[in-house]
Amino acid sequence: MSPALRTTILATLAVVAAGLVWWATGRQHNIQNLWTLLASLIPFVLAAETIASLQPSWFRRGRLVEICALGAFVVVFCFLVPKIFAAALDDDFNRLYSWMRILVPLLILCLALMLRLGGAIPAVTRRVSYAGILIMLSGLEDLAFQLLRGKPLADRWDWADHMTVRLGHVASRNEAMAFIVVHLLLAGAIVLLPDRFWQRIGDGLRRRSGSARQRPASVRERAADRTR
């Protein structure tokens, strides 16, 4: 499979997955269960792999790099920012929080995209994407919010749905601290993984796509063997 076709397939799957998740959960402002959380991560993973599969050489004509960078900015500035302002003006915290859950992964992907178009190897974009989403899911911003307010940390983190659905109950203060530390350690481990680890993942994806194309021939060969 050619790199261009592989990128096109990944991008198409990412868009379709994002559409399905939005159709299924777009009106829900809270994370209902673990499956909802996992489903919402599928478009992110597909988009991250799309970015990793891009070839910077495709964007060296004209001003495509600049257009991609400004296009990403326009999506954030002219769509998500107004949505967040509208939710804030309506004093609708749940709707505001749901838009922030879209904004942050998009910013992570924008960073990964700019790195890739700037010439970073796929391993770098994967590290930034997957370490970034782990930092987001850690609850670090919930801790920072409480610390910046200058108030004692809450005994029960009942607003942190991303913790509740994975723990199976509302996190206590100590559980939330442990939850954050574990995620940050995992993010650090991803950053430290060597290039060859990510290279093997990319090679595995390419081998699977190649074997899928060769499978019909192998099936015919086995059928022919059985008839001999």
Side-chain angles (χ1 to χ4, degrees):
M1 183 181 296
S2 68
L5 180 58
R6 184 169 61 253
T7 300
T8 301
I9 291 174
L10 285 170
T12 302
L13 291 174
V15 171
V16 171
L20 289 174
V21 170
W22 178 261
W23 175 77
T25 66
R27 294 180 178 83
Q28 300 174 3
H29 299 310
N30 298 318
I31 301 174
Q32 302 296 318
N33 50 56
L34 180 60
W35 297 111
T36 301
L37 176 63
L38 292 176
S40 66
L41 293 176
I42 293 174
F44 180 89
V45 172
L46 290 170
E49 291 303 317
T50 299
I51 292 169
S53 69
L54 292 173
Q55 301 298 315
S57 58
W58 298 342
F59 298 84
R60 288 176 184 160
R61 298 178 181 177
R63 294 289 184 268
L64 290 179
V65 172
E66 292 89 335
I67 291 172
C68 288
L70 292 173
F73 170 72
V74 167
V75 170
V76 172
F77 189 64
C78 295
F79 178 69
L80 289 175
V81 170
K83 288 289 188 179
I84 291 170
F85 282 166
L89 290 173
D90 293 340
D91 199 22
D92 188 342
F93 176 79
N94 287 331
R95 187 156 56 96
L96 174 65
Y97 193 59
S98 67
W99 284 115
M100 289 299 297
R101 290 204 308 265
I102 297 174
L103 172 64
V104 176
L106 182 59
L107 291 178
I108 296 170
L109 292 172
C110 287
L111 288 173
L113 176 63
M114 292 306 102
L115 284 168
R116 184 63 177 139
L117 296 187
I121 62 175
V124 172
T125 62
R126 288 188 172 106
R127 289 189 189 104
V128 169
S129 297
Y130 298 130
I133 200 67
L134 277 172
I135 293 172
M136 173 189 167
L137 293 173
S138 71
L140 185 62
E141 89 286 0
D142 295 296
L143 174 62
F145 173 72
Q146 295 180 77
L147 292 175
L148 290 173
R149 293 181 69 194
K151 294 184 177 181
L153 298 181
D155 292 329
R156 286 169 49 82
W157 293 37
D158 52 1
W159 69 90
D161 295 335
H162 60 289
M163 292 185 181
T164 302
V165 296
R166 279 180 282 172
L167 293 174
H169 60 269
V170 173
S172 66
R173 179 173 57 241
N174 291 338
E175 287 175 329
M177 293 299 101
F179 192 91
I180 292 170
V181 169
V182 168
H183 280 73
L184 294 182
L185 289 175
L186 290 173
I190 285 178
V191 171
L192 294 175
L193 284 171
D195 291 346
R196 61 179 178 273
F197 173 84
W198 302 108
Q199 183 63 41
R200 282 198 295 268
I201 292 178
D203 291 343
L205 291 173
R206 283 190 289 273
R207 281 196 298 270
R208 287 196 187 105
S209 63
S211 64
R213 288 181 299 162
Q214 297 170 1
R215 193 170 298 155
S218 62
V219 170
R220 287 194 298 270
E221 290 170 0
R222 289 195 297 270
D225 290 339
R226 286 195 295 268
T227 59
R228 288 175 186 171

